[in-house]
Every structure is written in structure tokens, then in C-alpha cells.
Amino acid sequence: DQQVKQNSPSLSVQEGRISILNCDYTNSMFDYFLWYKKYPAEGPTFLISISSIKDKNEDGRFTVFLNKSAKHLSLHIVPSQPGDSAVYFCAATQVGVSYGKLTFGQGTILTVHP
Amino acid sequence: KAGVTQTPRYLIKTRGQQVTLSCSPISGHRSVSWYQQTPGQGLQFLFEYFSETQRNKGNFPGRFSGRQFSNSRSEMNVSTLELGDSALYLCASSMNRDSGANVLTFGAGSRLTVL
């Protein structure tokens, strides 16, 4: 049972444009969501997170939106840069319950073309 | 501030052998988690340790075990290796604040190949 899903295995965008990565979850107990970026031969790097009490969180070029009723979150990158090319994972957890456990999606490969 | 350090970075074993992987968390981080990443299953949670105690465990067989030392360093062990154990094993640490979410910081991983 895949509780966190990223239905797009890959996404290709032009430099300077917006990248939108999507993620759906099924477990309504999740109350904290995170996005990680991963380059080959490196571990995932934390990007941005959002609590279920919010519907939007911004950090520079990165914005995460949460739609609890639809159990959907998205990551917007504006403007996209070639250095953003990587695998992006969304993850979800239950604060105070799931010690150390993040449930990850399968990842989306983002390619930003110059 | 040094990041999460995992050793060895690469190793090759044969079926039936056992392997021990090591993880040094960020200084001050007392929670250490382990994950397995494979192309088919993605990132899967193995277990989490805090103050030398396992607090959470994923759905992996008993061949997968771990421990944490008093200095928060952690090791994981896989016994009787199978071909399907070939994967990238990732360690992550966090501050484990009492309230709020704890963001995990990952190491670069240990790439295990089982022949």
C-alpha cells in the first residue's frame, strides 16, 4: 500500500520557467510534509516542509502548497535553474508518533534545460 | 558543522555473508534513522534509535538489525545477505525536539552490492 505517491516519474522544463511537482497521500493521519532533493551518489537534501495547519510555505524560489481535503501537495520552483535538475521526493510523517519515520513517494526526476 | 557520515561508502558482499554499516550523526543530534533505497521500492524506513533504544521499526525481516551507542553513533547489520539486499543504505539524524517535527538530515549512503 503506497501511502505517498508521485505520479509523474519525470518532468522537463526550460530554464526560467516554473517547475511544479505533485504528490498525493492517502493516510489522513499524516500532519507534516517535506520535500527532499537528491543528486546521484548523494543522500537526500531537505528543501522545504509544511505543517498540516498551513496551506502554503515559501522559502526563496521554493513554495509548497498543501490541499488537505484533496490530500495533495505540490512544490513550485520559480524560476527554475539548471542546477535544480535532480530527483525530488515528497515525504510525510506524523509528528510525535512516527519517530524518525518518513514515508516517501517514488520520486520525480526534474530536468531543467538551459 | 560536519554532516552525517556513513562508512563504508561502497562494499561488495556475497550471498550468505553479513555486513555492518556505520553512521556518525551530526553533533548534537540524538536520533538516528536508517533507510533502504532500491529502484523498485524507493526509500523504505528500517528503524530509528534514540538514546540507545529502538523507538520505531519498519517492515523488514529480523536479518536487519541495528544499535546505537552512547555517543549517538549507530550501526546497522544485515545477516545472511540475499541478492535483494543490494541497495543504497541511508542514515539520517535529527535533533529530536520534544515538540514539532524533526527534519532528517541524510548522509551520502553506503552502496551495498550482493553477488
Side-chain angles (χ1 to χ4, degrees), chain A residues 32 49 95-96 99, chain B residues 28-31 50 55 94-104:
Chain A
Y32 196 75
S49 61
V95 175
Y99 298 113
Chain B
H29 285 194
R30 297 169 63 193
S31 169
F50 176 78
R55 294 194 301 183
S94 72
M95 292 185 68
N96 190 69
R97 295 169 294 163
D98 290 336
S99 62
N102 291 276
V103 173
L104 302 186

Short mmCIF file of all heavy atoms in Angstrom, two decimals, chain A residues 32 49 95-96 99, chain B residues 28-31 50 55 94-104:
data_model
loop_
_atom_site.label_atom_id
_atom_site.label_comp_id
_atom_site.label_asym_id
_atom_site.label_seq_id
_atom_site.Cartn_x
_atom_site.Cartn_y
_atom_site.Cartn_z
N TYR A 32 2.60 16.31 8.69
CA TYR A 32 3.77 17.10 8.36
C TYR A 32 4.35 16.53 7.08
O TYR A 32 4.48 15.32 6.93
CB TYR A 32 4.81 17.03 9.49
CG TYR A 32 5.86 18.09 9.43
CD1 TYR A 32 5.56 19.40 9.79
CD2 TYR A 32 7.15 17.82 9.02
CE1 TYR A 32 6.51 20.40 9.74
CE2 TYR A 32 8.11 18.80 8.97
CZ TYR A 32 7.79 20.09 9.34
OH TYR A 32 8.74 21.07 9.29
N SER A 49 9.39 22.31 4.02
CA SER A 49 8.37 21.48 4.65
C SER A 49 7.13 22.32 4.92
O SER A 49 7.14 23.55 4.81
CB SER A 49 8.90 20.88 5.96
OG SER A 49 9.24 21.91 6.87
N VAL A 95 3.76 13.80 13.38
CA VAL A 95 4.61 14.41 14.39
C VAL A 95 4.35 13.77 15.75
O VAL A 95 3.20 13.56 16.15
CB VAL A 95 4.34 15.93 14.46
CG1 VAL A 95 5.13 16.55 15.60
CG2 VAL A 95 4.72 16.58 13.13
N GLY A 96 5.43 13.45 16.45
CA GLY A 96 5.32 12.92 17.80
C GLY A 96 4.94 11.45 17.88
O GLY A 96 4.87 10.89 18.96
N TYR A 99 8.45 8.27 15.04
CA TYR A 99 9.82 8.64 15.33
C TYR A 99 10.75 8.25 14.19
O TYR A 99 10.92 7.08 13.88
CB TYR A 99 10.29 7.95 16.61
CG TYR A 99 9.49 8.33 17.83
CD1 TYR A 99 8.68 7.41 18.48
CD2 TYR A 99 9.54 9.63 18.33
CE1 TYR A 99 7.97 7.76 19.60
CE2 TYR A 99 8.82 9.99 19.46
CZ TYR A 99 8.04 9.05 20.09
OH TYR A 99 7.33 9.39 21.20
N GLY B 28 25.28 16.67 18.33
CA GLY B 28 24.09 17.20 19.00
C GLY B 28 22.80 16.51 18.60
O GLY B 28 21.77 16.66 19.27
N HIS B 29 22.83 15.79 17.51
CA HIS B 29 21.65 15.02 17.08
C HIS B 29 21.64 13.68 17.81
O HIS B 29 22.61 12.93 17.75
CB HIS B 29 21.68 14.78 15.57
CG HIS B 29 21.33 15.98 14.76
ND1 HIS B 29 21.02 15.90 13.41
CD2 HIS B 29 21.22 17.29 15.10
CE1 HIS B 29 20.74 17.11 12.96
NE2 HIS B 29 20.87 17.97 13.97
N ARG B 30 20.52 13.38 18.45
CA ARG B 30 20.46 12.16 19.24
C ARG B 30 19.61 11.07 18.61
O ARG B 30 19.60 9.94 19.07
CB ARG B 30 19.91 12.51 20.64
CG ARG B 30 20.83 13.46 21.40
CD ARG B 30 20.15 14.00 22.64
NE ARG B 30 19.85 12.95 23.59
CZ ARG B 30 19.04 13.10 24.64
NH1 ARG B 30 18.45 14.26 24.84
NH2 ARG B 30 18.84 12.10 25.48
N SER B 31 18.87 11.43 17.56
CA SER B 31 18.04 10.45 16.87
C SER B 31 18.71 10.05 15.56
O SER B 31 19.14 10.91 14.79
CB SER B 31 16.67 11.04 16.58
OG SER B 31 15.93 10.22 15.71
N PHE B 50 17.09 6.21 19.48
CA PHE B 50 17.26 7.42 20.29
C PHE B 50 17.73 6.98 21.67
O PHE B 50 17.12 6.10 22.29
CB PHE B 50 15.95 8.20 20.39
CG PHE B 50 16.02 9.39 21.29
CD1 PHE B 50 16.61 10.56 20.85
CD2 PHE B 50 15.48 9.35 22.56
CE1 PHE B 50 16.68 11.68 21.68
CE2 PHE B 50 15.55 10.45 23.39
CZ PHE B 50 16.15 11.61 22.95
N ARG B 55 13.14 2.98 18.85
CA ARG B 55 11.80 3.50 19.13
C ARG B 55 10.80 3.16 18.03
O ARG B 55 9.61 3.21 18.24
CB ARG B 55 11.83 5.03 19.28
CG ARG B 55 12.58 5.52 20.49
CD ARG B 55 12.28 6.99 20.75
NE ARG B 55 12.63 7.82 19.61
CZ ARG B 55 12.52 9.14 19.60
NH1 ARG B 55 12.04 9.76 20.67
NH2 ARG B 55 12.86 9.84 18.55
N SER B 94 18.54 13.54 13.43
CA SER B 94 17.73 14.72 13.73
C SER B 94 17.92 15.09 15.20
O SER B 94 18.40 14.30 16.00
CB SER B 94 16.25 14.47 13.44
OG SER B 94 15.70 13.60 14.39
N MET B 95 17.48 16.32 15.54
CA MET B 95 17.67 16.82 16.90
C MET B 95 16.68 16.19 17.87
O MET B 95 16.88 16.22 19.07
CB MET B 95 17.54 18.34 16.92
CG MET B 95 18.67 19.04 16.20
SD MET B 95 18.55 20.82 16.39
CE MET B 95 18.92 20.97 18.14
N ASN B 96 15.58 15.69 17.32
CA ASN B 96 14.55 15.11 18.17
C ASN B 96 14.07 16.10 19.25
O ASN B 96 14.20 15.86 20.44
CB ASN B 96 15.04 13.82 18.84
CG ASN B 96 13.88 13.08 19.52
OD1 ASN B 96 13.01 12.55 18.86
ND2 ASN B 96 13.86 13.05 20.82
N ARG B 97 13.57 17.23 18.79
CA ARG B 97 12.95 18.15 19.72
C ARG B 97 11.68 17.50 20.28
O ARG B 97 11.06 16.69 19.62
CB ARG B 97 12.58 19.45 19.00
CG ARG B 97 13.76 20.23 18.49
CD ARG B 97 13.28 21.33 17.59
NE ARG B 97 12.68 20.81 16.39
CZ ARG B 97 11.90 21.50 15.59
NH1 ARG B 97 11.59 22.73 15.90
NH2 ARG B 97 11.40 20.97 14.49
N ASP B 98 11.31 17.93 21.46
CA ASP B 98 10.14 17.33 22.09
C ASP B 98 8.84 17.72 21.39
O ASP B 98 7.87 17.00 21.41
CB ASP B 98 10.06 17.75 23.57
CG ASP B 98 11.16 17.09 24.38
OD1 ASP B 98 11.65 16.03 23.95
OD2 ASP B 98 11.53 17.62 25.44
N SER B 99 8.84 18.89 20.78
CA SER B 99 7.61 19.30 20.10
C SER B 99 7.94 19.67 18.66
O SER B 99 9.05 20.04 18.35
CB SER B 99 6.98 20.50 20.81
OG SER B 99 7.86 21.60 20.77
N GLY B 100 6.99 19.55 17.84
CA GLY B 100 7.20 19.91 16.44
C GLY B 100 7.87 18.80 15.68
O GLY B 100 8.32 17.81 16.24
N ALA B 101 7.93 18.99 14.40
CA ALA B 101 8.52 17.97 13.55
C ALA B 101 10.03 18.08 13.54
O ALA B 101 10.60 19.15 13.78
CB ALA B 101 7.99 18.10 12.14
N ASN B 102 10.65 16.98 13.32
CA ASN B 102 12.10 16.94 13.25
C ASN B 102 12.53 16.64 11.82
O ASN B 102 12.23 15.57 11.30
CB ASN B 102 12.64 15.86 14.20
CG ASN B 102 12.42 16.22 15.64
OD1 ASN B 102 13.21 16.93 16.23
ND2 ASN B 102 11.34 15.73 16.22
N VAL B 103 13.24 17.57 11.22
CA VAL B 103 13.71 17.36 9.87
C VAL B 103 14.91 16.44 9.89
O VAL B 103 15.84 16.63 10.69
CB VAL B 103 14.09 18.71 9.21
CG1 VAL B 103 14.74 18.47 7.86
CG2 VAL B 103 12.85 19.59 9.07
N LEU B 104 14.89 15.43 9.04
CA LEU B 104 16.00 14.49 8.96
C LEU B 104 17.08 15.02 8.03
O LEU B 104 16.78 15.52 6.95
CB LEU B 104 15.53 13.13 8.45
CG LEU B 104 14.43 12.42 9.24
CD1 LEU B 104 14.20 11.03 8.66
CD2 LEU B 104 14.79 12.33 10.70
#
